[in-house]
Amino acid sequence: MQVSLFVTCLVDQLRPEVGQATLALLEHAGCTVNFNPSQTCCGQPACNAGYEGEAQQVARHTMDVLAGDDPIVVPSGSCAAQLKHYADLFDAEDPDHARAVALAPRVHELSAFLVDQMNYDASGASFEGTLTWHDACHTLRELGVKDQPRHLLGQVAGAQLVEAPECETCCGFGGTFAIKMPEISVAMSDRKLDEIIALGVDSIVSTDISCLMQLGGRLISRGSHIRALHLAEILAP
């Protein structure tokens, strides 16, 4: 299968190793991966902050970059959700509205694509230790992705998946929320981490770099040995 990889700006700028792992994983799954280096941000920060014109501009560019019929695989639930909601940025009579509507069904969050489209077998991957999964808000609530990453992690040799009771609770990042209300954001993060630290796991895993930045940063601040890892880093050959 030929796919387009939308790597996301946070992966590109802050965690490029996640992009490399995602590429290796998709190729191992049998995909021919196209990556257009002209891609930029999905526009979610501008959209959430109320800058509709700027968000439209970014959306138009992204639709140009991702033109075609190939499935678009995104290693981030929040960015995948933004791509799927591009049509909301344009009036129905705007030609870009039709382009956005056509784009939406091509967009797939990474774990959902591997399980639902590729029937991927992750038993060749290995990880020694205990893991807990963080259900990122957009991945769970916007895209309805919950079972797929757990299915994949359950196949990884040596890995023990431990469910956190508050796995669905927000990490507190929320994009600009973390900037505008840092005290509340940190308190929300620490509430999750108190539970995760008590579980005694080795790593917390998700497919949203924003959540992993939030949780990983607080783990470092608290002197914890727990690592914040992207799913692709666990599964990549």
Side-chain angles (χ1 to χ4, degrees), residues 25 28-30 113-123 151-152 155 235 237:
L25 178 57
H28 188 259
F113 178 77
L114 290 172
V115 174
D116 300 339
Q117 305 299 318
M118 301 299 294
N119 194 26
Y120 184 70
D121 182 355
S123 60
H151 172 75
L152 293 167
Q155 295 177 324
L235 300 183

Side-chain angles (χ1 to χ4, degrees), residues 125-131 152-162 202 205 234-235:
S126 62
F127 180 91
E128 292 301 324
T130 53
L131 308 168
L152 293 167
L153 289 173
Q155 295 177 324
V156 175
Q160 179 184 355
L161 182 61
V162 180
D202 298 304
V205 187
I234 302 291
L235 300 183

Side-chain angles (χ1 to χ4, degrees), residues 185-198:
S185 173
V186 168
M188 292 172 68
S189 178
D190 281 349
R191 174 181 170 179
K192 280 191 70 81
L193 291 179
D194 287 344
E195 177 183 85
I196 290 169
I197 291 170

Side-chain angles (χ1 to χ4, degrees), residues 40-109:
T40 58
C41 178
C42 67
Q44 186 178 115
C47 185
N48 290 350
Y51 292 96
E52 184 174 310
E54 288 80 358
Q56 290 174 336
Q57 183 178 358
V58 175
R60 290 188 182 100
H61 172 74
T62 301
M63 288 190 288
D64 289 342
V65 167
L66 297 175
D69 299 318
D70 296 339
I72 301 164
V73 182
V74 189
S76 166
S78 60
C79 297
Q82 177 68 14
L83 295 179
K84 283 182 171 291
H85 286 296
Y86 272 174
D88 296 339
L89 293 171
F90 304 100
D91 294 332
E93 62 273 12
D94 190 322
D96 285 315
H97 181 271
R99 287 210 297 161
V101 170
L103 180 83
R106 296 172 51 211
V107 177
H108 305 270
E109 182 271 340

Side-chain angles (χ1 to χ4, degrees), residues 16-31:
E17 65 275 14
V18 171
Q20 295 167 343
T22 301
L23 172 61
L25 178 57
L26 289 172
E27 289 181 336
H28 188 259
C31 297

Side-chain angles (χ1 to χ4, degrees), residues 158-171:
Q160 179 184 355
L161 182 61
V162 180
E163 288 287 355
E166 293 200 26
C167 57
E168 298 182 2
T169 302
C170 178
C171 72

